[in-house]
Structures are given as C-alpha cells and as structure tokens.
C-alpha cells in the first residue's frame, strides 16, 4: 500500500543510527544508547503491528500472536518468515532466523585460536558492537507484541552469524 | 444515517469522537458511546455467549436504543470503533462492509 523505500536506504539508515547513538549521542554510555535504540524500535513495532493486523481476525491466545509475528509480520518486514520457532510452553519463545537480513553485511570474525589477549579483547569489542545492532529489531518485536496486549522482554543472540535468535519472555 | 463515530483506545480512552447532528444531541451520543464500551467488553470476555464470532473483528449490533443502533468493531490492538446510526433499516452486512473502508 502506498509508497516504497529502497532497501539499501533502510540498511544504511539503521547502520548509521546505531553508529550515531553509540559514538556521538551517548558516546561513553552504551547502556543508554542501547535503551534509546530499543525505544525507537518499540515505537516502530507498535505502529507497524497496528497496520499489519488491520484485516485479520483477532488472536485467541499468545501463541497465535507469536505465530503472527513469525509469519505475516516478519514477511512484511523482511520478505521471509522466521525459520524456527521454539517454546517451552511456559511463556518463553525462541524465534530463529537463519539469515537475518540486517546482519547479512556484517563480517563474521573467527576469534584467533592462539590469539594474544589484545586480539581477543578486540574480538570481544566487535561482538559488543555487533550486538548493538540487535536492539532495534528486539524493540520492534517488543513493540508489536505490546500493542497486541502481550507485555514481554526480548533479547537477541548472535552466536553464529548470519543466523540470529530472538528470545521472547512473556511477563506474567 | 450515521450520527456518531467514535474511536476508543485500548484503555478505553477516547481517541476521536465526532457527531453529525445538532449540538444539543452531542452529549447524549457521547453517553451512548460510553455505555456501548461496556457491551464490547462483555462480548470479548464471554466467549461462550458470543458463539461463532469469537475472533471476528466486527462485533455487530451492540445494542439498540430507542432511536439508534450501535455497531462495534474491535481491532487486534484493542482499538474500538463505535458507530451510532439512526437508519433502522440497515442490515449488519452493509455496516460490516463499511467499517474497513473507514479504517483505511
């Protein structure tokens, strides 16, 4: 419906957003930058879920809403569905995307086996920077679920790029 | 003829109310909208009584008053659209088709 935006613009915008918040606005406060980015994602997710659930019948339970996020919502955002959904049936869901679109251009760095402590700390720093890029999609998921009436906490895990797992914990 | 349209947020906070009649009727219409919110909650919380329309967004005729009919529509994000109409001949199906047009 309506206007279109080029995908590379979105990619660049997101990269620049993370970089600006981490390096300029909250230069030495990564927690604040992370929280701010997550809040932006929350707003985006909130509004997108309103738009994408317009025509659908209502959800009967939490699982239906999560399935909506995995299928329709993810398809609208990334042109693909979530590859794997796991749950412990007690309020925790793991959404796994084997090729997360916004991370495809990120380099995969193998930590050197006999590396010096300096090299290892550089690798650790890079990991921290990479995880900054995940706060935005976590916020989107959290915003979408909150708008559907499901308060939750979302965290992400990138142990093997470009696959990415989002862990959703529903607050009782 | 539709006399009042209301959009109510998920905490029952009014987002938009517009009445299309003379000014002195407006308060009465607001009151009718307010009462219909209770009916919406009732329909949503009583799955057995609402029957096959449990997950439908369109709630149908909420309640008829002396001159008006009140229709309700509930989105997935718990935003309620309330429509008050004086047209006594209108059928459910017509209203059901009109509401999605209003949303877009």
């Amino acid at each position: 419906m309506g206007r279109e935006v080029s995908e590379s613009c979105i990619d660049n915008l997101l990269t620049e957003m993370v970089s600006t918040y981490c390096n300029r606005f909250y230069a030495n406060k990564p927690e604040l930058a992370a929280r701010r980015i997550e809040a932006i994602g929350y707003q985006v997710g909130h509004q997108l879920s309103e738009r994408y659930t317009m025509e659908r019948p209502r959800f009967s339970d939490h699982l239906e809403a999560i399935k909506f996020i995995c299928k329709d919502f993810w398809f609208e955002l990334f042109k693909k569905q979530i590859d794997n959904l796991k749950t412990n049936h007690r309020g925790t869901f793991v959404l796994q995307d084997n090729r997360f679109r916004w991370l495809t251009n990120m380099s995969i760095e193998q930590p050197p086996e006999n590396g010096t402590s300096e090299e290892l700390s550089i690798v650790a720093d890079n990991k921290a920077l990479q995880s900054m890029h995940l706060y935005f999609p976590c916020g989107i998921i959290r915003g979408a679920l909150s708008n559907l009436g499901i308060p939750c906490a979302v965290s992400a895990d990138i142990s093997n790029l470009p696959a990415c797992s989002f862990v959703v914990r529903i607050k009782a | 003829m539709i006399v009042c349209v209301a959009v109510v947020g998920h905490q029952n906070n009014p987002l938009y109310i517009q009445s299309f009649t003379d000014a002195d009727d407006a308060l009465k219409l607001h009151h009718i909208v307010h009462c219909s919110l209770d009916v919406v909650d009732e329909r949503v919380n009583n799955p057995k009584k609402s029957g096959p329309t449990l997950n439908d967004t369109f709630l149908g005729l909420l309640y008829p008053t002396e001159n008006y009919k009140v229709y309700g529509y509930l989105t997935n994000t718990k935003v309620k659209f309330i429509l008050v109409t004086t047209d006594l001949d209108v059928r459910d199906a017509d209203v059901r088709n009109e509401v999605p047009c209003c949303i877009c």
Side-chain angles (χ1 to χ4, degrees):
Chain A
M1 52 154 94
R3 297 174 284 183
E4 293 181 339
V5 178
S6 105
E7 198 171 339
S8 52
C9 275
I10 300 272
D11 282 344
N12 286 334
L13 175 67
L14 295 176
T15 316
E16 186 56 31
M17 173 178 77
V18 175
S19 153
T20 312
Y21 272 90
C22 291
N23 301 335
R24 286 210 288 144
F25 294 164
Y26 299 104
N28 294 324
K29 298 169 230 163
E31 310 85 26
L32 282 183
R35 217 172 326 147
R36 199 72 193 87
I37 296 174
E38 213 259 354
I40 296 176
Y42 181 88
Q43 267 220 310
V44 173
H46 203 267
Q47 291 161 340
L48 284 180
S49 72
E50 186 84 57
R51 187 184 285 198
Y52 295 149
T53 57
M54 219 157 57
E55 306 276 303
R56 300 180 44 98
R58 289 202 311 273
F59 302 122
S60 36
D61 63 357
H62 291 343
L63 185 58
E64 289 286 316
I66 298 274
K67 277 161 51 175
F68 161 77
I69 299 279
C70 293
K71 295 186 189 169
D72 301 317
F73 193 77
W74 217 253
F75 187 80
E76 295 278 359
L77 279 180
F78 305 113
K79 297 281 181 300
K80 66 187 283 283
Q81 298 184 350
I82 286 273
D83 297 304
N84 202 348
L85 171 67
K86 288 180 261 203
T87 174
N88 70 352
H89 293 291
R90 261 180 246 131
T92 304
F93 297 86
V94 180
L95 285 64
Q96 188 177 339
D97 189 338
N98 289 336
R99 197 181 147 77
F100 189 51
R101 214 174 183 89
W102 291 339
L103 295 179
T104 48
N105 296 326
M106 209 172 272
S107 64
I108 303 175
E109 198 165 336
Q110 305 294 351
E113 302 208 342
N114 298 326
T116 63
S117 63
E118 218 181 79
E119 285 173 16
L120 286 174
S121 75
I122 290 178
V123 171
D125 281 341
N126 287 343
K127 262 295 185 210
L129 279 175
Q130 285 175 349
S131 57
M132 273 298 179
H133 288 266
L134 293 169
Y135 284 108
F136 187 66
C138 285
I140 291 185
I141 298 176
R142 189 170 74 92
L145 285 174
S146 303
N147 206 9
L148 298 173
I150 305 175
C152 58
V154 183
S155 58
D157 164 46
I158 34 166
S159 20
N160 42 339
L161 282 173
C164 181
S165 304
F166 295 96
V167 183
V168 178
R169 286 181 196 86
I170 297 186
K171 299 183 188 167
Chain B
M1 200 192 59
I2 299 180
V3 295
C4 183
V5 173
V7 181
V8 181
H10 79 281
Q11 281 160 343
N12 284 344
N13 48 319
L15 298 171
Y16 176 78
I17 298 190
Q18 176 73 55
S19 39
F20 303 104
T21 64
D22 321 327
D24 50 0
D25 251 3
L27 191 60
K28 186 167 155 199
L29 293 171
H30 288 201
H31 186 242
I32 292 179
V33 168
H34 194 264
C35 295
S36 61
L37 294 178
D38 281 334
V39 182
V40 173
D41 284 336
E42 216 179 294
R43 289 276 176 95
V44 167
N45 295 334
N46 282 344
K48 290 175 191 156
K49 288 187 190 165
S50 37
T53 56
L54 171 60
N55 286 334
D56 221 2
T57 44
F58 183 66
L59 300 169
L61 182 67
L62 293 179
Y63 75 115
T65 65
E66 70 276 10
N67 298 327
Y68 308 113
K69 282 179 156 187
V70 184
Y71 288 89
Y73 182 95
L74 180 66
T75 69
N76 265 310
T77 52
K78 309 282 180 285
V79 173
K80 307 167 187 74
F81 289 78
I82 310 281
L83 217 69
V84 183
T85 165
T86 54
D87 196 349
L88 296 173
D89 294 340
V90 73
R91 289 175 303 142
D92 240 15
D94 294 339
V95 187
R96 193 185 284 259
N97 293 336
E98 282 176 19
V99 178
C101 306
C102 300
I103 295 179
C104 305

